[in-house]
Amino acid sequence: MSTPTDQLGSSDPAARVFRPGEFKGREGLVRNMLRRLERGESLSLVGGPKLGKTSLLLHLAWQLNHDHAVPSPKYPGPSAMYIDVSDEADCQRFRSRSQKAHTIVLLDNCDSLVEGKTLSLSEVNRFRRGPTVFAGARVWRELVRESGLTHKLKSIPLAVFLEKEAQQILCPDLTSEQQACVLNYAGTHPFIIKVLQSALLRGGPHVLPEKVVKDVKNSLSSFFQCCANQLRGPLEHQVLAFLIEADKPVNPREVARAFELATIKLVADTLCSLGLVGRWIREEEATLSANSRLFNEWYRETVPS
């Protein structure tokens, strides 16, 4: 499988985000996962569409193989292998490759494991030998919860960037006005940031940001629809709509009271995992916020209330 080598600052929004050795925005998460893997733990990385699961796995693979590039008794060969579960060739490579006990397997698109079209979970358990990262979206997340795998896999939820992380990935070639435009309209969603700033880079400093924003919102409609399709049941839509209309960070207890519920945690966890809502501590208070103006506008215009 070829390794993508594009980065967030690329003018090609369709390009995957990965450059060997470079990784911005989730360094703390990377360190945490590396520590756990090297202790022998297996992990379940869950997140919605385009939150960066593939880029994170590719970076972990590079980091592990780079750190152990010189063979040793403990690491006699490559320390990690990346496998796209939805790719038949990758699955064959996983089945046929001899894996030592030290090999860390990084499995991407694990929702496909639920269907078992290319690889089944039982096959994975039969062929893997060392610590494993299972990365997937909602279908995989729910399988883990419902099957009791939470006792065997440490859950690593992927969410939108923190504000300081979003700042780190802004392209320095953008003007200050363009950078403000990106944060105002994309919020802290990594993919929306990527697409918007790529469009601004292509347009240059003299193109009106308003026109670029309009064009980008239209180009992202299929992605936004994919995100909305991940929602299930009226309550998830209602809570998301409530946060969109609030247009500011809201304490989860306030959201729960609005729907006469004791807690909103399960719904909030789902919305955060899908990348539609961010969860932050502000002035020592937990808050939820739907901060991607582009998605919020599309949702208001497209999804029936």
Side-chain angles (χ1 to χ4, degrees), residues 11-53:
S11 61
D12 178 10
R16 278 179 162 175
V17 186
F18 179 69
R19 181 180 292 275
E22 291 186 12
F23 197 76
K24 296 181 180 179
R26 301 196 194 274
E27 292 91 341
L29 180 60
V30 168
R31 289 192 296 271
N32 178 277
M33 292 181 71
L34 286 172
R35 283 195 299 269
R36 291 181 178 279
L37 289 170
E38 293 184 339
R39 288 202 302 260
E41 297 182 35
S42 289
L43 313 173
S44 175
L45 177 69
V46 293
K50 301 291 188 180
L51 275 182
K53 297 183 294 295

Side-chain angles (χ1 to χ4, degrees), residues 3 16 39 43 53 70 72 131 161 176 189 198 219 252 271:
T3 301
R16 278 179 162 175
R39 288 202 302 260
L43 313 173
K53 297 183 294 295
V70 178
S72 67
F161 284 137
S176 57
H189 194 292
S198 295
S219 74
L271 295 177

Side-chain angles (χ1 to χ4, degrees), residues 127-200:
F127 283 101
R128 74 187 180 102
R129 297 292 180 269
T132 305
V133 177
F134 297 83
R138 180 159 192 167
V139 172
W140 170 252
R141 175 175 175 256
E142 293 185 349
L143 173 69
V144 170
R145 292 175 60 187
E146 293 168 4
S147 64
L149 286 173
T150 49
H151 298 296
K152 298 179 180 180
L153 302 174
K154 170 64 179 178
S155 178
I156 308 290
L158 205 59
V160 296
F161 284 137
L162 300 173
E163 291 173 352
K164 63 180 181 180
E165 293 172 335
Q167 291 277 356
Q168 290 175 12
I169 64 168
L170 290 177
C171 180
D173 293 334
L174 294 174
T175 66
S176 57
E177 180 185 7
Q178 288 174 322
Q179 290 188 3
C181 176
V182 170
L183 294 176
N184 182 30
Y185 282 93
T188 58
H189 194 292
F191 181 67
I192 304 176
I193 290 175
K194 176 190 177 184
V195 174
L196 181 52
Q197 76 173 359
S198 295
L200 289 167

Side-chain angles (χ1 to χ4, degrees), residues 14-259:
R16 278 179 162 175
V17 186
F18 179 69
R19 181 180 292 275
E22 291 186 12
F23 197 76
K24 296 181 180 179
R26 301 196 194 274
E27 292 91 341
L29 180 60
V30 168
R31 289 192 296 271
N32 178 277
M33 292 181 71
L34 286 172
R35 283 195 299 269
R36 291 181 178 279
L37 289 170
E38 293 184 339
R39 288 202 302 260
E41 297 182 35
S42 289
L43 313 173
S44 175
L45 177 69
V46 293
K50 301 291 188 180
L51 275 182
K53 297 183 294 295
T54 297
S55 296
L56 179 54
L57 291 183
L58 289 169
H59 181 70
L60 285 171
W62 180 88
Q63 189 84 53
L64 288 161
N65 290 326
H66 178 77
D67 286 352
H68 306 131
V70 178
S72 67
K74 183 178 181 182
Y75 294 103
S79 306
M81 60 187 301
Y82 169 88
I83 297 294
D84 182 350
V85 174
S86 66
D87 184 274
E88 181 61 41
D90 260 18
C91 292
Q92 289 297 336
R93 184 165 63 91
F94 172 73
R95 293 186 186 100
S96 62
R97 181 169 176 172
S98 175
Q99 296 175 54
K100 306 296 183 182
H102 65 271
T103 303
I104 294 172
V105 181
L106 308 171
L107 298 175
D108 202 1
N109 295 311
C110 285
D111 291 47
S112 297
L113 288 178
V114 181
E115 300 171 353
K117 291 182 178 179
T118 54
L119 193 68
S120 68
L121 187 56
S122 61
E123 281 185 288
V124 170
N125 290 331
R126 186 164 72 250
F127 283 101
R128 74 187 180 102
R129 297 292 180 269
T132 305
V133 177
F134 297 83
R138 180 159 192 167
V139 172
W140 170 252
R141 175 175 175 256
E142 293 185 349
L143 173 69
V144 170
R145 292 175 60 187
E146 293 168 4
S147 64
L149 286 173
T150 49
H151 298 296
K152 298 179 180 180
L153 302 174
K154 170 64 179 178
S155 178
I156 308 290
L158 205 59
V160 296
F161 284 137
L162 300 173
E163 291 173 352
K164 63 180 181 180
E165 293 172 335
Q167 291 277 356
Q168 290 175 12
I169 64 168
L170 290 177
C171 180
D173 293 334
L174 294 174
T175 66
S176 57
E177 180 185 7
Q178 288 174 322
Q179 290 188 3
C181 176
V182 170
L183 294 176
N184 182 30
Y185 282 93
T188 58
H189 194 292
F191 181 67
I192 304 176
I193 290 175
K194 176 190 177 184
V195 174
L196 181 52
Q197 76 173 359
S198 295
L200 289 167
L201 285 167
R202 289 196 307 274
H206 303 298
V207 176
L208 290 174
E210 293 80 6
K211 181 183 184 306
V212 176
V213 167
K214 181 179 179 181
D215 291 343
V216 166
K217 185 169 72 171
N218 291 334
S219 74
L220 286 173
S221 59
S222 60
F223 165 66
F224 290 155
Q225 187 64 62
C226 178
C227 292
N229 289 345
Q230 297 281 318
L231 296 170
R232 297 177 188 168
L235 183 59
E236 291 180 2
H237 278 285
Q238 290 166 2
V239 171
L240 176 60
F242 178 89
L243 292 169
I244 289 173
E245 291 306 316
D247 197 27
K248 65 178 182 180
V250 183
N251 188 293
R253 292 191 295 272
E254 181 180 339
V255 181
R257 284 196 297 270
F259 293 94

